[in-house]
Amino acid sequence: MSRIDRLPPASPCVARCVIDETSQLCTGCARSLDEIAGWGSASDDFRSAVWAELPARASRLGLKTRRLSWQGDTLLAETARRLSDEGARLIAGIWGASGELVRLPDAPCEVQIGEDALTLTLPDAALRLDSARYLTAFEIDRPDAPALIALAVPVGRAFRDRPAALTALGQDEAALLSRNAGGMRFDLGLGRRAARFTVRCDDALAATLARATGTNWPDHLSRTGLPLRDASPVRVIETPCLRLEIDAAIPMPDGTSPSGPHTHLLPDHIAQGLDTPPTVPMPAGYVATALILPAS
């Protein structure tokens, strides 16, 4: 059991505190005023009992986004369980710049849950998810599709260092995949709070990118786009609490994405400034670190 799982049950609050006049329940967390007022001094058994009632209450209120009670090892185990299904996907990044971890049929998959971290390794992708105390899980309904899980952190835990130009980060000493482990890593300079899109290079590509460092996104693509596509380096997407590595060929601009793990880098989408797709609204005050979609 991790140190996080020894904490009391988390508060269901999502900082959207509006009471429904009919039910007298909060339209953010689905608790009553008495439950909200007494939460700080309530016993763990009482808190757990309230959590057990919240899904039914949220359904009656018509809430599309519901906070889940997962913490620590429970959060890691639930994530691993969902990703063990063939065809399930984890998407990390922002709208237009993301990596997708997809487990194909018969693909070997190694899962390890250690001290406050989940590591999942496929032949061409690897994930490390750290279960920090502030990592929060939400279930979000989607029109005409099964609900997804969003792993999120408070806005105050989002990235503050946001390079807006191609930036050399030095040697990658935290590599999960073996290709070019320890090689030079570059941040493509998206300048976003929710994710960093980086690449780990061999010496030849590193030399090419080094000559374009300091050039703003997306201007440097005129010099780096073709070399990046041709080399298909390991893409390393980092979000608060998560690192995802993808080692799959980058398709031609008019090609189709691989059915297995792959990345997207779409300047027109990135320019919209969205952290998540328009159909996945996050509660105010939270930034998504990953989306988990069930197998279709």
Side-chain angles (χ1 to χ4, degrees):
M1 178 180 291
S2 76
R3 56 181 173 78
I4 295 174
D5 277 313
R6 294 192 291 270
L7 296 172
S11 168
C13 182
V14 296
R16 184 180 181 273
C17 305
V18 179
I19 299 299
D20 175 66
E21 292 185 2
T22 301
S23 66
Q24 290 298 295
L25 296 175
C26 175
T27 59
C29 67
R31 290 179 297 171
S32 69
L33 282 172
D34 288 344
E35 290 166 347
I36 294 170
W39 192 265
S41 59
S43 68
D44 288 357
D45 287 344
F46 176 84
R47 294 180 180 184
S48 296
V50 172
W51 267 110
E53 294 182 15
L54 294 185
R57 296 182 188 178
S59 179
R60 292 197 300 270
L61 289 169
L63 303 185
K64 303 301 182 184
T65 301
R66 299 168 294 280
R67 183 170 178 171
L68 301 175
S69 62
W70 305 348
Q71 294 186 97
D73 290 346
T74 300
L75 186 150
L76 299 180
E78 289 290 347
T79 299
R81 182 175 69 82
R82 282 161 172 75
L83 294 179
S84 67
D85 294 336
E86 293 179 353
R89 291 184 292 157
L90 179 141
I91 303 174
I94 60 171
W95 178 237
S98 61
E100 294 195 23
L101 184 150
V102 186
R103 185 185 176 194
L104 296 177
D106 301 323
C109 178
E110 180 181 348
V111 178
Q112 294 181 334
I113 298 180
E115 182 65 21
D116 298 337
L118 161 69
T119 303
L120 187 151
T121 306
L122 300 172
D124 48 4
L127 165 74
R128 177 185 170 90
L129 174 65
D130 297 315
S131 62
R133 178 175 182 175
Y134 47 81
L135 184 61
T136 303
F138 293 92
E139 186 176 46
I140 301 176
D141 289 338
R142 295 183 294 164
D144 304 319
L148 60 77
I149 302 297
L151 303 181
V153 299
V155 169
R157 296 287 183 172
F159 289 135
R160 297 183 180 180
D161 180 18
R162 308 171 189 173
L166 184 65
T167 302
L169 301 176
Q171 292 182 311
D172 189 359
E173 304 296 344
L176 301 174
L177 295 173
S178 60
R179 185 159 79 100
N180 296 327
M184 286 292 294
R185 191 156 67 103
F186 290 80
D187 189 315
L188 297 190
L190 304 185
R192 301 293 290 278
R193 66 179 184 176
R196 300 185 181 115
F197 197 107
T198 74
V199 294
R200 185 169 70 239
C201 309
D202 59 18
D203 291 343
L205 181 59
T208 298
L209 297 185
R211 290 192 289 270
T213 55
T215 308
N216 289 343
W217 168 269
D219 298 341
H220 67 72
L221 288 179
S222 62
R223 302 165 62 187
T224 63
L226 285 177
L228 284 168
R229 189 197 68 197
D230 292 343
S232 286
V234 176
R235 280 82 78 200
V236 182
I237 294 89
E238 290 182 320
T239 70
C241 302
L242 180 148
R243 178 184 177 110
L244 175 63
E245 298 188 10
I246 303 291
D247 185 9
I250 298 174
M252 298 289 288
D254 57 351
T256 58
S257 297
S259 55
H262 58 277
T263 54
H264 297 280
L265 193 64
L266 306 171
D268 289 345
H269 286 59
I270 296 169
Q272 296 178 30
L274 300 176
D275 291 335
T276 55
T279 56
V280 183
M282 289 298 300
Y286 285 89
V287 174
T289 67
L291 304 177
I292 302 172
L293 286 68
S296 56

